[in-house]
Amino acid sequence: MYKPHPDFKPNKPVTFEQLQAIMDAPVLNTDRLPEPIVIKSFTLYCRESAWFLKVQGTRGEEGIAPCSDRASYLHLLLKKFLPLAIGKDARKLEEILNTIYVTDINYKIQGLAYWCCISWLESAILDMLGKAAGVHVAELLGGRQRDELEMYAASGNRDTTPEEEVEILHRRVDQIGAKAIKFKLGGRMSRNRDSIAGRTEGLLHLARQSFGDDFIIHCDGNGSFDARKGIEIGKIAESINAYFYEEPCPFDDLWDTKAAADALDVPLAFGEQETSLRRFAWIIENDAAQVLQPDLQYTGGFIQCIKVARMAQAADKVVTPHVSGGYASYNMLLFCAMIPNAGHYHEYKGFRGVEDCVPGGLTVKDGRIRVPNGPGLGLEIPFINTPQTECVFKVQ
């Protein structure tokens, strides 16, 4: 009989009214910033495939946030929002974000593209505020809860046989000393089709056999199954004592997701594509997932994700954020250092260029990584004003 890992607690019932109060409560603490910090300009830079947004204040204050490569096609949308922050006191960041949402009925275009842009804007301002106060960004967002995270080795493959995939996972485990893994199931949003016939069932069984009874195994469906098939695969996940079972059903099918959660004992992880706080609240209120997975870009940045974490905490649920790779993985480290209910293991996808911007680097040893603690976001980006870095636009 499947028994959930002690890392997971039974659901604590919460009402929507309780969750709405959390959504309405402010997050940013500016007690360390007694004087206004007025936003003067924003500049977007590109260096090869790396994108950065710089914000400057009227008294020389400065913050720089990495963006993802999605900025290559979302920068026109970002440029639409930035003027709405010019001339505003950066300490009123949450008010600025709310104003952007309702101005020109921008809420009608909300979704992943909208919230990615907001997350970049927010991160740049938070970096500026943290540097102005001389503190790590965590001190502005509730305080630091931990100094290191434990990482799991992940694979995004679906075109490998079970034998090939297990071999790849062993190599990745050996590289970083991980005590946990995650692999892909199904055909990704495939309406019950497997990527290779029999791969899902075979991989689940072979992974447990190869890694041993005590190794932590996460598995990710990426929306491959309807409720019936998702439950069938979930029962196999239970039979091999999986740690959690991620997104068995399509991300926008809350009905099938809840049906799977109700039918299974293995904790369901869900929310990587979610952009709405109220939909997260529905998932939490209805116990449609036991692990919440906001993305630091897709969900709109630190403040939005902290609200998700606080709602999850009210129901005794953990948060293991989705990681979209590269610089976004770095923000995940900072976020998990801030929230008390961060999950035990977090996805390692590498940091692709961020290492050179973090004093002391980013090294995973024995499956653990130290969370940087420099001022602001803790990054030093020396190549912003070099010939190899292109200024895409400036808004002032």
Side-chain angles (χ1 to χ4, degrees):
M1 181 176 178
Y2 181 81
K3 184 177 181 180
H5 194 281
D7 286 347
F8 306 105
K9 298 178 183 179
N11 180 63
K12 179 181 176 182
V14 291
T15 65
F16 186 81
E17 288 72 23
Q18 290 174 287
L19 299 176
Q20 184 66 62
I22 293 170
M23 288 186 272
D24 292 340
V27 172
L28 183 63
N29 184 334
T30 58
D31 290 347
R32 295 172 182 265
L33 295 160
E35 299 296 326
I37 298 179
V38 179
I39 297 171
K40 177 183 177 181
S41 67
F42 290 95
T43 309
L44 182 68
Y45 295 94
C46 178
R47 180 184 174 90
E48 297 177 351
S49 60
W51 295 72
F52 303 89
L53 181 66
K54 180 168 75 173
V55 60
Q56 291 181 298
T58 55
R59 295 181 303 187
E61 306 94 340
E62 184 176 286
I64 303 174
C67 311
S68 75
D69 56 8
R70 284 189 171 86
S72 64
Y73 54 87
L74 293 180
H75 65 273
L76 291 178
L77 188 59
L78 174 64
K79 193 174 183 180
K80 169 178 165 58
F81 304 143
L82 296 177
L84 298 173
I86 301 295
K88 304 291 179 59
D89 183 353
R91 300 177 305 165
K92 298 181 179 180
L93 174 58
E94 293 183 72
E95 181 180 314
I96 292 170
L97 299 181
N98 289 336
T99 297
I100 292 172
Y101 187 71
V102 298
T103 300
D104 296 331
I105 53 175
N106 285 326
Y107 60 84
K108 286 186 176 289
I109 56 172
Q110 70 161 318
L112 188 148
Y114 173 89
W115 289 112
C116 279
C117 293
I118 294 299
S119 75
W120 305 331
L121 183 159
E122 180 214 61
S123 292
I125 292 176
L126 287 173
D127 187 52
M128 179 172 69
L129 292 175
K131 288 174 178 174
V135 298
H136 187 266
V137 69
E139 300 306 317
L140 306 177
L141 297 172
R144 195 177 180 95
Q145 304 292 324
R146 59 188 58 81
D147 294 321
E148 66 176 15
L149 299 179
E150 193 160 2
M151 312 298 283
Y152 63 77
S155 166
N157 301 319
R158 281 195 163 84
D159 58 352
T160 53
T161 65
E163 292 77 13
E164 291 168 338
E165 187 66 7
V166 165
E167 182 179 345
I168 290 168
L169 288 165
H170 272 293
R171 288 201 301 268
R172 295 188 179 180
V173 164
D174 291 343
Q175 286 169 0
I176 65 171
K179 309 299 188 297
I181 56 171
K182 188 175 82 174
F183 49 77
K184 302 290 190 181
L185 306 177
R188 191 181 189 98
M189 297 292 287
S190 59
R191 299 191 179 190
N192 298 333
R193 292 189 303 276
D194 212 343
S195 58
I196 300 173
R199 180 182 184 276
T200 289
E201 295 87 342
L203 180 54
L204 283 165
H205 289 299
L206 183 60
R208 176 54 72 204
Q209 177 186 340
S210 180
F211 282 92
D213 292 341
D214 297 328
F215 205 83
I216 297 293
I217 294 178
H218 310 71
C219 51
D220 182 2
N222 278 133
S224 294
F225 315 117
D226 61 18
R228 179 195 61 78
K229 186 66 174 179
I231 293 166
E232 177 187 318
I233 299 301
K235 294 294 184 183
I236 300 173
E238 290 178 350
S239 76
I240 64 113
N241 196 36
Y243 185 72
F244 73 49
Y245 179 29
E246 182 176 337
E247 200 180 58
C249 304
F251 65 87
D252 55 351
D253 193 338
L254 300 185
W255 302 268
D256 271 10
T257 298
K258 176 162 173 54
D262 289 347
L264 295 169
D265 293 320
V266 60
L268 234 63
F270 193 73
E272 70 175 67
Q273 303 279 6
E274 191 52 73
T275 61
S276 165
L277 289 183
R278 289 193 178 92
R279 282 169 60 95
F280 269 117
W282 187 95
I283 293 164
I284 293 166
E285 181 188 13
N286 290 278
D287 195 25
Q290 290 69 54
V291 181
L292 280 299
Q293 295 186 294
D295 183 287
L296 266 295
Q297 292 185 86
Y298 308 163
T299 306
F302 288 101
I303 290 170
Q304 292 272 102
C305 288
I306 286 171
K307 291 185 177 186
V308 174
R310 290 179 178 178
M311 290 192 289
Q313 186 179 16
D316 277 346
K317 297 181 185 295
V318 300
V319 172
T320 301
H322 175 251
V323 178
S324 45
Y327 288 96
S329 299
Y330 179 79
N331 281 359
M332 179 275 291
L333 298 181
L334 307 187
F335 171 68
C336 288
M338 302 174 194
I339 60 171
N341 55 330
H344 193 125
Y345 305 95
H346 300 277
E347 185 165 352
Y348 178 73
K349 283 186 174 178
F351 298 99
R352 292 202 303 275
V354 188
E355 297 95 334
D356 297 334
C357 302
V358 179
L362 290 169
T363 302
V364 181
K365 184 177 180 180
D366 296 328
R368 296 178 177 274
I369 187 168
R370 191 95 179 145
V371 180
N373 58 4
L377 297 177
L379 294 171
E380 294 180 3
I381 305 174
F383 45 75
I384 283 293
N385 295 313
T386 62
Q388 294 79 23
T389 305
E390 174 192 358
C391 175
V392 180
F393 66 70
K394 184 169 186 176
V395 174
Q396 58 185 357

